[in-house]
Amino acid sequence: MREEQAEPSRIVVLISGSGSNMQAIAQACKNPENDANIVAVISNRPGVAGLDRAEEFGIPAQTLDHTTFATREEFDINLIRAIDEHSPDLVVLAGFMRILTPDFVRRYKGRLLNIHPSLLPKYKGLHTHKRALEAGDKEHGVTVHFVSEDLDGGPNIIQAVVPVLDDDNEKSLQSRVQIQEHIIYPIAVKWFTEGRLSMLKGDAYFDNVALPETGLQLTH
Ligand code: GRF
């Protein structure tokens, strides 16, 4: 008797801008090794490049403009509705520049991922490249983590370390970090959709083993 095939994992990606991480994940989903599809891309900003990129991949893309809602809560309730229409297994924040309400985070607990351009827990928040340069750090990087109710504070899954060069400026450092973003986000998404990642009591697990605070670390 033929074994029943599970349906491919359904991913909804939230963006606010260029969508290059969404594109890296969409590209990875085309690989037959990956049993997952991005079923929808939702942007909180109209007219951003990420919406066009999604269309190029044939992915349904929609805008839910946060400025048309009176409160953060109202926006998030409508965002939940828009996401849940696509019955996702995983929700991926890819350059989604909004602080989420606790209700939103709780709804997708354990299946909500984010990418942040620093070696978390260092440099939560904005201007991470500038802050790493100003501090004279020799290493910087990027982290994919589960989302918890603390901003940029959920458990780390994977980190790529990027050396800071003597002649680096914010732009050069950012572009080398972005190259790594496009490598580690598809890896984390693949692990999740293969059922190898989980979050339990605030810790991240890979193949049922608790990950270190850094997450799995790739060094260059
Ligand atoms: C990335 O640098 C990511 O680390 C940060 O926002 C940026 C999004 O870029 N959270 P893109 O929209 O994926 O091109």
Side-chain angles (χ1 to χ4, degrees), residues 116-123 139-143 159-161 217:
H116 183 77
S118 78
L119 297 174
L120 286 172
K122 251 185 160 180
Y123 307 131
E139 287 184 333
H140 185 46
V142 56
T143 306
Q159 261 185 354
V161 179
Q217 225 184 25

Side-chain angles (χ1 to χ4, degrees), residues 11-19 22-23 26 38-65 79 82-83 85-86:
I11 306 168
V12 169
V13 182
L14 306 187
I15 63 166
S16 301
S18 92
M22 180 279 298
Q23 178 172 319
I38 301 180
V39 291
V41 168
I42 303 173
S43 171
N44 67 308
R45 293 205 182 115
V48 295
L51 291 164
D52 299 331
R53 288 194 208 235
E55 269 179 30
E56 280 163 29
F57 277 82
I59 299 168
Q62 71 194 84
T63 302
L64 193 69
D65 183 349
L79 183 58
I83 293 170
E85 273 180 28
H86 303 283

Side-chain angles (χ1 to χ4, degrees), residues 82 105 129 151 206:
V105 174
H129 310 300
L151 181 67
F206 180 69

Side-chain angles (χ1 to χ4, degrees), residues 15-22 53 94-97 114-117 129 142 174 178 181-182:
I15 63 166
S16 301
S18 92
S20 68
N21 280 285
M22 180 279 298
R53 288 194 208 235
F96 187 64
M97 303 304 281
N114 184 41
I115 190 159
H116 183 77
H129 310 300
V142 56
Q174 180 194 9
Q178 268 232 319
E181 295 185 4
H182 302 158

Side-chain angles (χ1 to χ4, degrees), residues 74-117:
E74 210 187 304
F75 172 69
D76 277 12
I77 287 166
N78 282 277
L79 183 58
I80 287 171
R81 272 192 207 129
I83 293 170
D84 287 355
E85 273 180 28
H86 303 283
S87 313
D89 301 298
L90 172 65
V91 178
V92 167
L93 308 178
F96 187 64
M97 303 304 281
R98 294 280 306 166
I99 292 173
L100 297 162
T101 55
D103 280 352
F104 183 98
V105 174
R106 274 196 292 269
R107 178 162 194 95
Y108 302 108
K109 194 173 173 190
R111 54 190 179 113
L112 182 59
L113 304 185
N114 184 41
I115 190 159
H116 183 77

Side-chain angles (χ1 to χ4, degrees), residues 132-160:
L133 286 169
E134 282 171 1
D137 290 356
K138 296 281 169 253
E139 287 184 333
H140 185 46
V142 56
T143 306
V144 175
H145 63 97
F146 279 109
V147 176
S148 72
E149 286 170 46
D150 294 336
L151 181 67
D152 300 327
N156 290 350
I157 295 165
I158 183 169
Q159 261 185 354

